[in-house]
Amino acid sequence: MKPVVALAVGRGTGAELSTVFERTLSRIAGLYDTGIELVRSPRTYHSYVSLKEEVTDTEQIRRLTEEDAAHYERFCREQARRGTPAVFRTAMNAQSLYLVRQRLQAVKVEPIAAGDAALLLIRDEAQGFYTGENLHSPGVVTRTMEFSREITAKVLEFALRRARREWPDDGPAQIVMAYKFHLLDGALDRWVSEISRRLGMEVRLFQPDTVNRNLITHGLADRTVIVAGNEWADIMHVVLLDRFGAERQENRCTENVHLHPELRELVEYQTVHGSADDLAGKDTVNPTATLRAAALIAQRHAGCPGAVAAVEQALHAAEEKGIRTPDLGGRHSTTAVVDAVLAALDGRAPDTAPTARP
């Protein structure tokens, strides 16, 4: 029986990157002499730019946002029911996406390595300001949100499980939470204390600015887990990559795990960069993150051990030849970069060198 992978495509550069993903996954499957069934969502989801180009009225934007969210939620639920372990999704309108993440109780997982130290960042996407509903009245938008003990416990339980998977010998050295807890009347403090005792591991709750100061002053302590509200983590993700990971955001892929029991921890992979609508149709979007996502999915969910290392070696080979997209200082197209990587992946040189843009 073929392993199954799902694909959801948004506007902007989604069409181009979905082609990169399909080509790469197919090539890896061929190298491992295995077949992978790809199930594609029938809807192309809006980016924020495409949404604003299509409609301008607030009520119309709200309606299309909800339609995209409802469709993508159904698609994810359907894939979980059929036993699909992973979805690759290109960028879509964040407001639609966070409605889905709230309903399906998602967390984002980002391991960051700096020398001998390793950090595991778990972004709580299921509660807080990024979730919630809007109520419009003349000249006013009222946004409601909630925090719950149940979701907080699920996020912390997942963080501990994932940390033990990342560091099977020693487990996490410390778990730190970065939340604006002083705005919640002491409720989050109490929940965290109770959950920490039940888990048998101390969880330290800090204001985000205190976490920032400790990172700046002391650097990255090995085997640290930071569980963070998305209000802080969304901004700090790029900073952490730059300061500790030595990696550009545009080159990274990441994973979101859905903790709702009906989703069975369905994993959604995405590029860290957004929809890049200004590059749509120009064949210049950086494909690195998508290539890496295809390798991760193939290795973790489609029986292709070593796929990640093989793609990394192929990326390095293309980089050594100076084959890169304009955002990385190169003059090559998306297609040329992908051609070079896939050629290196199966151990042959391209028939002709990719042509650089003038």
Side-chain angles (χ1 to χ4, degrees):
M1 185 175 178
K2 290 183 180 180
V4 179
V5 172
L7 172 64
V9 182
R11 302 197 190 184
T13 55
E16 296 161 76
L17 292 175
S18 66
T19 299
V20 173
F21 179 78
E22 290 179 274
R23 286 186 64 195
T24 308
L25 197 64
S26 176
R27 181 64 62 85
I28 294 171
L31 293 174
Y32 285 82
D33 195 25
T34 185
I36 300 175
E37 180 184 352
L38 197 61
V39 178
R40 187 175 182 132
S41 172
R43 184 181 182 96
T44 301
Y45 303 98
H46 286 90
S47 67
Y48 184 73
V49 172
S50 75
L51 189 67
K52 292 295 295 290
E53 288 175 347
E54 185 170 328
V55 295
T56 56
D57 178 76
T58 299
E59 179 55 30
Q60 292 176 313
I61 291 174
R62 188 205 64 76
R63 175 179 56 80
L64 286 176
T65 295
E66 175 55 42
E67 286 178 4
D68 275 348
H71 189 282
Y72 187 54
E73 180 186 355
R74 287 195 301 272
F75 180 71
C76 289
R77 287 182 179 275
E78 178 186 348
Q79 298 314 306
R81 280 194 296 271
R82 67 177 291 181
T84 303
V87 178
F88 175 70
R89 176 190 53 75
T90 70
M92 62 185 280
N93 177 32
Q95 191 173 351
S96 299
L97 188 58
Y98 275 99
L99 287 171
V100 178
R101 287 171 170 171
Q102 178 184 10
R103 294 165 186 171
L104 301 184
Q105 302 171 2
V107 292
K108 182 170 287 185
V109 181
E110 185 66 55
I112 298 174
D116 295 330
L119 166 71
L120 182 62
L121 176 63
I122 304 293
R123 290 168 58 170
D124 178 357
E125 301 175 309
Q127 56 186 354
F129 181 77
Y130 277 46
T131 61
E133 304 284 343
N134 293 335
L135 177 64
H136 292 267
S137 57
V140 177
V141 179
T142 303
R143 186 164 181 81
T144 60
M145 72 202 79
E146 64 179 35
F147 288 85
S148 76
R149 188 190 188 285
E150 176 191 5
I151 297 299
T152 303
K154 282 187 176 183
V155 171
L156 282 172
E157 288 162 3
F158 172 83
L160 185 56
R161 288 198 308 274
R162 186 55 180 259
R164 286 170 173 165
R165 194 174 99 187
E166 290 285 327
W167 307 303
D169 294 333
D170 302 309
Q174 61 174 338
I175 300 178
V176 172
M177 294 184 73
Y179 283 78
K180 300 294 285 185
F181 64 87
H182 69 300
L183 302 177
L184 302 176
D185 301 324
L188 189 61
D189 314 50
R190 184 173 67 256
W191 299 338
V192 170
S193 294
E194 294 167 355
I195 297 164
S196 176
R197 286 195 296 271
R198 178 167 58 79
L199 293 177
M201 174 140 193
E202 181 184 11
V203 179
R204 303 164 70 198
L205 181 61
F206 292 108
Q207 295 289 346
D209 60 335
T210 302
V211 176
N212 291 349
R213 185 172 64 249
N214 289 342
L215 286 169
I216 291 169
T217 304
H218 304 296
L220 198 62
D222 190 31
R223 293 181 294 112
T224 293
V225 180
I226 298 182
V227 178
N230 223 24
E231 298 79 6
W232 175 83
D234 193 23
I235 296 169
M236 288 300 296
H237 186 194
V238 177
V239 177
L240 290 169
L241 288 176
D242 180 68
R243 188 175 181 90
F244 300 113
E247 181 69 278
R248 290 176 60 92
Q249 178 184 9
E250 291 79 7
N251 290 346
R252 297 279 290 203
C253 67
T254 189
E255 60 180 295
N256 304 276
V257 181
H258 299 92
L259 303 181
H260 191 290
E262 293 180 11
L263 271 290
R264 304 172 188 172
E265 295 201 357
L266 175 73
V267 184
E268 175 202 77
Y269 294 83
Q270 64 168 96
T271 61
V272 175
H273 65 73
S275 54
D277 294 71
D278 59 320
L279 300 180
K282 297 180 180 180
D283 198 26
T284 57
V285 63
N286 184 345
T288 304
T290 302
L291 290 160
R292 285 173 163 167
L296 271 172
I297 289 173
Q299 178 166 305
R300 292 178 177 176
H301 307 287
C304 300
V308 171
V311 168
E312 288 300 321
Q313 289 172 3
L315 282 165
H316 180 71
E319 174 68 23
E320 286 286 290
K321 295 177 180 178
I323 302 170
R324 60 180 76 93
T325 47
D327 64 299
L328 298 178
R331 297 188 296 123
H332 291 84
S333 68
T334 304
T335 302
V337 173
V338 175
D339 287 347
V341 171
L342 295 187
L345 185 62
D346 62 13
R348 63 175 176 81
D351 294 333
T352 58
T355 303
R357 290 176 173 271

